[in-house]
Amino acid sequence: MTARRWQQGVVMALVMAVGVVAFGWPFLVTPGSEISQLGHSGDASLLFVALMALLALVLLAEMSSGRLDAKGVAVLGVLAAAGGALRVLSAGTAGLEPMFFLLVVAGRVLGASKGFLLGALALLASAFLTAGIGPWTPFQMLACAWVAMGAGLLPRASGWTERVVLAGYGLASGMAYGAVMNLWFWPFMGGTAPEGAGYVPGAGAAANLTHYTVFYVLTSLAWDLLRGLLTAALTLLAAAPVLRVLRRALRQARFDAPVRFATRS
C-alpha cells in the first residue's frame, strides 16, 4: 500500500472514530455530571466544525491520491445538490425520503470515501435549503455519509444481481439510518421516554438494548420501514439507468481534455 493510500486510510479511520465517539459518549459519562446535563447542546457545534475539517481532509486525500480530479469534484457537487433537492421535495414526510435512493446508487458508483463525502454534503445542502440546521445536523451528516459509504463497500456485481443487492442494502440502510439517528437524543430523554423504553444509566447493556428496541418499535419502525421500502423500490425500478449514466459521466466527462483543431481541407 502506498503512502497516499495509508494517508487516505488514516483519514477515513479518524472520521469514523469521531463519528462513533459523537454518538457513543452519552453512554459512557457519569449520570448527573455537568457534561451529561449539557447533552449535545454543548458539543454539536464543535462536532460540526470538526466534521467539516475532516471532510476537507478526506477530499484532499482523495485528490492527492489521484482518485478524484476536477471532473470528479464537479460530479460530486452536482450529486450533492441533487440529493439536497430530493430531500427538499419530500421533507421526510412519513419517512419517504427519495434522497436515500441517490445516496445508495451514487455511493455504489463513487466508492466508499467519495460516497462518504457525498452523503455528508447532500445532507448539508438539504439542511441549508430547508433552513433545517440545528444540533442534529452533524449527526445526520454522519449517518447519511455512512449510508453512502456502505453502498461503496458492497461486493462487486452486475445486472439484476447488483440491483437486488442495492435494493436490499437500501432497505436495510434506510431502517438503520433511523436506528442510528435515535441515539443522538435517546440517552437524554429521561422521564419523557415511553415506559420501559428509556435509557437507564447503570442498568447494563442488555437491559438498555431491550429498552432501546422497545423505543425503536414504538416510535421509529414505521417511518424507517417506509424509508427503506421506498429506497428499495426506487432502486429496483430506476437504478439501472442511473448507474449507467453516473458511470458514463465519471468515465467519459473529460473537462481537462486537450483542445485540438482540425485542419480544413
Side-chain angles (χ1 to χ4, degrees):
M1 181 179 289
T2 64
R4 288 178 177 175
R5 294 295 300 273
W6 270 105
Q7 293 174 359
Q8 186 184 29
V10 170
V11 171
M12 287 304 299
L14 181 60
V15 173
M16 296 297 292
V18 168
V20 171
V21 171
F23 277 100
W25 72 258
F27 299 99
L28 303 176
V29 298
T30 303
S33 62
E34 183 178 355
I35 190 172
S36 175
Q37 293 177 359
L38 281 175
H40 285 306
S41 62
D43 75 334
S45 58
L46 295 176
L47 176 61
F48 182 79
V49 173
L51 183 57
M52 295 304 295
L54 290 171
L55 290 176
L57 285 178
V58 174
L59 182 64
L60 288 175
E62 284 289 322
M63 296 185 71
S64 63
S65 67
R67 299 178 58 185
L68 189 66
D69 55 11
K71 71 178 182 181
V73 173
V75 171
L76 189 62
V78 171
L79 290 173
L86 284 174
R87 193 159 184 262
V88 171
L89 289 176
S90 66
T93 304
L96 301 176
E97 297 180 82
M99 181 183 76
F100 282 80
F101 161 70
L102 182 66
L103 296 185
V104 170
V105 176
R108 169 71 171 177
V109 174
L110 294 172
S113 53
K114 291 188 283 290
F116 186 93
L117 288 170
L118 170 64
L121 294 176
L123 192 286
L124 182 61
S126 72
F128 278 118
L129 291 172
T130 60
I133 295 180
W136 55 85
T137 302
F139 298 92
Q140 289 179 322
M141 290 171 65
L142 279 168
C144 283
W146 286 336
V147 168
M149 182 185 73
L153 293 173
L154 292 173
R156 290 186 178 184
S158 61
W160 261 106
T161 302
E162 182 179 37
R163 275 172 271 170
V164 171
V165 170
L166 287 177
Y169 176 78
L171 174 60
S173 62
M175 299 183 67
Y177 172 82
V180 170
M181 275 306 300
N182 287 342
L183 297 179
W184 89 275
F185 65 86
W186 182 64
F188 306 109
M189 292 189 70
T192 62
E195 185 176 356
Y199 174 65
V200 181
N208 277 312
L209 181 60
T210 302
H211 292 179
Y212 182 70
T213 302
V214 174
F215 176 81
Y216 181 77
V217 171
L218 291 176
T219 64
S220 299
L221 178 60
W223 287 63
D224 295 344
L225 184 59
L226 287 175
R227 181 191 299 115
L229 289 174
L230 177 65
T231 304
L234 290 176
T235 302
L236 289 175
L237 292 173
V242 176
L243 285 168
R244 190 162 52 248
V245 168
L246 290 177
R247 284 169 173 153
R248 183 182 302 156
L250 288 176
R251 186 174 59 248
Q252 296 184 351
R254 299 182 60 190
F255 301 142
D256 55 349
V259 178
R260 293 188 176 89
F261 297 94
T263 303
R264 177 177 292 180
S265 58

